[in-house]
């Protein structure tokens, strides 16, 4: 789809742009001043425009499939919200382009009551009353319109940055609460709801609301017996129900708090996630070198020596034991395929695992994977033909500059054996960009990678 987003660099608009990009849409971001164009992410076209000018809206929306507005005026100029809504409605109507307007919660009723949220100081204190009233009038402008193809989306009372889980509940005109009694959704999941409505419209010329729907997680340290010993692992999953199993191979620093956090986020998307200590034959996690120490040559070499000791055959042996463990868990839906995700050295291990358990593993993903396609006879890419899995490969730009031909070798290999793959170079990133405890961590691109992983797994393990 061709989507133009007004307010594209704000807290909500930027997440909408990011979610749309990772889904493969063609995005134009509209900002108020040229100085903000550089804040748009790579992959989005940018332009300067005024959402409060109907003629500008009409000109910018020509040829687009959808207009999304996530604008918010500064304090003291709340009336501009209503003016912009009227202009957006008039401008999109000229081109018969759909309008998805990100509004406010002010129009929502309180549960079991006809009272409106805008009139309740528990949710709308004096400091935000003026913008809440403007949001209510913004919605009234939509109701009064007779020409535009609009949709109005109200967040719950609390909208804050957080994790993308892809989970939310829908409502109409009553304030919703999540499982913990909070009228709340993360901005990331709010963006998911926006794009879901964009792709599959269900509320044309009407309004709806959403609330987060997080799982309660169960997490524990587990031991998995292999032919070579006992692998210490971390296992996390929603506390009830059965879900696809996901095996995670860490980078060389192994199982540690950063990997546990990443596993929790993936589990919140509806997966039973097992993170392995790849060095279990040598020592239990954590290894004595942390992310800071890894920057020192002697300590780095200590870690790399441990990593080099892990052979392809060891990965094969471990995979059989680890997949058997997952299939034996009550929280794992063994009727569905498993997935494997690897980071850095774990990328190659993910491919090897997929080939070792081709009958059970239906998807693998690698982020900043090391030496996935080399000239060596045991190069991981040579095993892709032994799999029946889809692949997702995220490459750091710095790694691509060192091995510019690797991505083509990988794509050609997938094509030659008829396997689906998405291979992407993440612009501006360095090796290790997904790991929050490493100096090359890129939060925006890591967020994109996480969203891409969730979307990939949802399709591949459907």
């Amino acid at each position: 789809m061709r989507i133009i987003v007004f307010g594209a660099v704000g807290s909500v608009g930027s997440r909408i742009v990011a979610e749309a990009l990772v889904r493969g849409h063609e995005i134009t971001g509209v900002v108020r001043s040229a100085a903000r164009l550089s804040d748009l992410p790579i992959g989005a076209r940018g332009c300067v425009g005024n959402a409060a000018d109907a003629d500008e809206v009409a000109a910018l929306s020509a040829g687009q499939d959808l207009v999304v507005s996530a604008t918010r005026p500064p304090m003291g100029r709340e009336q501009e919200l209503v003016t912009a809504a009227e202009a957006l409605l008039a401008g999109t109507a000229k081109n018969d382009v759909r309008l998805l307007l990100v509004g406010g919660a002010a129009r929502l009723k309180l549960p079991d009551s006809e009272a409106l949220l805008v009139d309740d100081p528990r949710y709308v204190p004096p400091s935000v009353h003026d913008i809440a009233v403007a949001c209510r009038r913004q919605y009234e402008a939509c109701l009064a319109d007779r020409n535009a193809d609009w949709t109005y989306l109200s967040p719950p009372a609390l909208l804050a940055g957080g994790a993308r889980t892809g989970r939310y509940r829908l409502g109409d005109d009553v304030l919703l609460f999540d499982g913990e009694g909070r009228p709340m959704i993360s901005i990331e999941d709010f963006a998911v709801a926006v794009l879901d409505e964009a792709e599959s419209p269900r509320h044309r010329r009407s309004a709806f609301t959403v609330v987060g729907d997080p799982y309660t997680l169960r997490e524990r340290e587990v031991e998995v017996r292999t032919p070579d010993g006992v692998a210490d692992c971390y296992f996390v999953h929603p506390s009830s129900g059965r879900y696809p199993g996901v095996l995670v191979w860490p980078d060389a620093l192994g199982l540690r708090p950063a990997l546990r956090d990443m596993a929790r986020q993936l589990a919140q998307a509806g997966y039973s996630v097992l993170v392995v200590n790849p060095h279990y034959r040598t020592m239990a996690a954590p290894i004595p070198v942390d992310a800071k120490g890894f920057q020192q040559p002697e300590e780095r070499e200590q870690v790399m020596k441990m990593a080099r000791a892990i052979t392809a055959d060891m990965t094969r042996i471990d995979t059989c034991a680890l997949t058997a463990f997952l299939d034996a868990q009550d929280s794992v839906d063994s009727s569905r395929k498993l997935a494997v995700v690897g980071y850095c050295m774990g990328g190659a291990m993910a491919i090897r695992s997929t080939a070792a358990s081709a009958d059970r593993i239906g998807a693998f993903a690698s982020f900043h994977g090391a030496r996935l396609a080399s000239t060596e006879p045991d190069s991981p890419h040579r095993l892709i033909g032994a799999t029946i899995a889809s692949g997702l490969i995220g490459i750091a730009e710095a790694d691509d500059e060192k091995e510019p031909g690797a991505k083509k070798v990988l794509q050609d290999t997938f094509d030659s054996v008829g396997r689906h793959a998405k291979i992407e170079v993440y612009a501006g990133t360095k090796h290790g960009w997904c790991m929050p405890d490493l100096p090359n961590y890129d939060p925006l691109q890591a967020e994109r990678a996480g969203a891409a992983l969730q979307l990939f797994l949802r399709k591949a393990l459907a």
Side-chain angles (χ1 to χ4, degrees), residues 142-264:
C142 292
L143 293 176
D145 179 83
R146 293 293 179 265
N147 301 309
D149 184 3
W150 59 269
T151 298
Y152 188 93
L153 174 52
S154 294
L158 299 174
L159 185 61
R164 182 198 188 281
T165 71
R167 288 177 50 80
Y168 58 88
R169 287 188 290 111
L170 292 170
D172 295 320
D173 59 0
V174 176
L175 180 66
L176 299 176
F177 294 80
D178 66 17
E180 298 181 13
R182 304 171 302 179
M184 181 177 181
I185 191 171
S186 71
I187 303 177
E188 288 74 10
D189 281 339
F190 187 74
V192 172
V194 170
L195 266 296
D196 286 350
E197 176 67 22
E199 294 173 346
S200 301
R202 299 170 59 185
H203 302 88
R204 299 181 95 148
R205 292 195 59 81
S206 65
F208 71 106
T209 187
V210 294
V211 72
D213 192 22
Y215 288 112
T216 299
L217 299 180
R218 182 185 178 194
E219 55 187 329
R220 65 187 191 275
E221 307 299 318
V222 298
E223 293 183 340
V224 179
R225 187 164 297 279
T226 79
D228 290 343
V230 177
D232 50 310
C233 306
Y234 170 73
F235 188 45
V236 58
H237 55 85
S239 60
S240 62
R242 298 167 70 86
Y243 305 88
V246 179
L247 172 63
V248 177
W249 288 112
D251 58 6
L253 289 174
L255 177 56
R256 59 193 191 277
L259 268 295
R260 289 181 173 86
D261 289 342
M262 295 165 71
R264 291 186 194 101

Side-chain angles (χ1 to χ4, degrees), residues 214-334:
Y215 288 112
T216 299
L217 299 180
R218 182 185 178 194
E219 55 187 329
R220 65 187 191 275
E221 307 299 318
V222 298
E223 293 183 340
V224 179
R225 187 164 297 279
T226 79
D228 290 343
V230 177
D232 50 310
C233 306
Y234 170 73
F235 188 45
V236 58
H237 55 85
S239 60
S240 62
R242 298 167 70 86
Y243 305 88
V246 179
L247 172 63
V248 177
W249 288 112
D251 58 6
L253 289 174
L255 177 56
R256 59 193 191 277
L259 268 295
R260 289 181 173 86
D261 289 342
M262 295 165 71
R264 291 186 194 101
Q265 183 169 342
L266 189 54
Q268 275 290 357
Y271 298 97
S272 294
V273 185
L274 181 68
V275 188
V276 189
N277 168 22
H279 305 299
Y280 75 89
R281 292 173 178 85
T282 303
M283 65 181 65
I287 64 172
V289 179
D290 60 14
K292 183 177 180 181
F294 189 63
Q295 309 311 309
Q296 305 303 316
E298 289 186 4
E299 295 189 61
R300 176 187 289 268
E301 178 53 30
Q302 180 184 349
V303 174
M304 298 314 296
K305 182 178 179 180
M306 294 172 64
R308 289 191 294 268
I310 301 172
T311 67
D313 196 50
M314 289 176 181
T315 302
R316 179 186 61 79
I317 291 171
D318 289 347
T319 299
C320 296
L322 296 165
T323 55
F325 171 87
L326 282 170
D327 280 338
Q329 304 308 304
D330 291 339
S331 65
V332 174
D333 184 351
S334 58

Side-chain angles (χ1 to χ4, degrees), residues 24-188:
H25 297 295
E26 182 181 316
I27 302 301
T28 300
V30 183
V31 297
R32 293 176 179 174
S33 69
R36 299 301 305 275
L37 287 171
S38 60
D39 294 333
L40 288 166
I42 294 170
R45 295 172 48 227
C47 64
V48 177
N50 181 7
D53 186 317
D55 291 335
E56 278 198 41
V57 171
L60 290 171
S61 63
Q64 299 290 322
D65 298 306
L66 176 70
V67 173
V68 177
S69 177
T71 63
R72 275 292 181 274
M75 186 177 294
R77 292 160 52 184
E78 289 82 4
Q79 171 59 30
E80 293 180 9
L81 195 66
V82 184
T83 304
E86 293 169 344
L88 287 158
L89 290 162
T92 54
K94 291 181 181 180
N95 294 318
D96 195 24
V97 179
R98 287 170 53 209
L99 170 64
L100 205 165
L101 195 61
V102 174
R107 70 174 188 87
L108 298 175
K109 297 177 184 177
L110 300 178
D112 303 317
S113 170
E114 291 299 311
L116 295 177
L117 181 143
V118 67
D119 298 320
D120 192 322
R122 292 176 299 172
Y123 301 105
V124 181
S127 59
V128 297
H129 186 264
D130 288 348
I131 190 64
V133 170
C135 287
R136 172 66 187 177
R137 293 181 58 199
Q138 177 192 42
Y139 174 56
E140 291 169 349
C142 292
L143 293 176
D145 179 83
R146 293 293 179 265
N147 301 309
D149 184 3
W150 59 269
T151 298
Y152 188 93
L153 174 52
S154 294
L158 299 174
L159 185 61
R164 182 198 188 281
T165 71
R167 288 177 50 80
Y168 58 88
R169 287 188 290 111
L170 292 170
D172 295 320
D173 59 0
V174 176
L175 180 66
L176 299 176
F177 294 80
D178 66 17
E180 298 181 13
R182 304 171 302 179
M184 181 177 181
I185 191 171
S186 71
I187 303 177
E188 288 74 10

Side-chain angles (χ1 to χ4, degrees), residues 41-42 424-429 433-434 442-450:
I42 294 170
E424 180 180 356
V425 176
Y426 281 68
T429 59
W433 93 86
C434 286
D442 185 325
L444 292 179
Q445 291 289 42
E447 184 178 312
R448 279 194 64 230

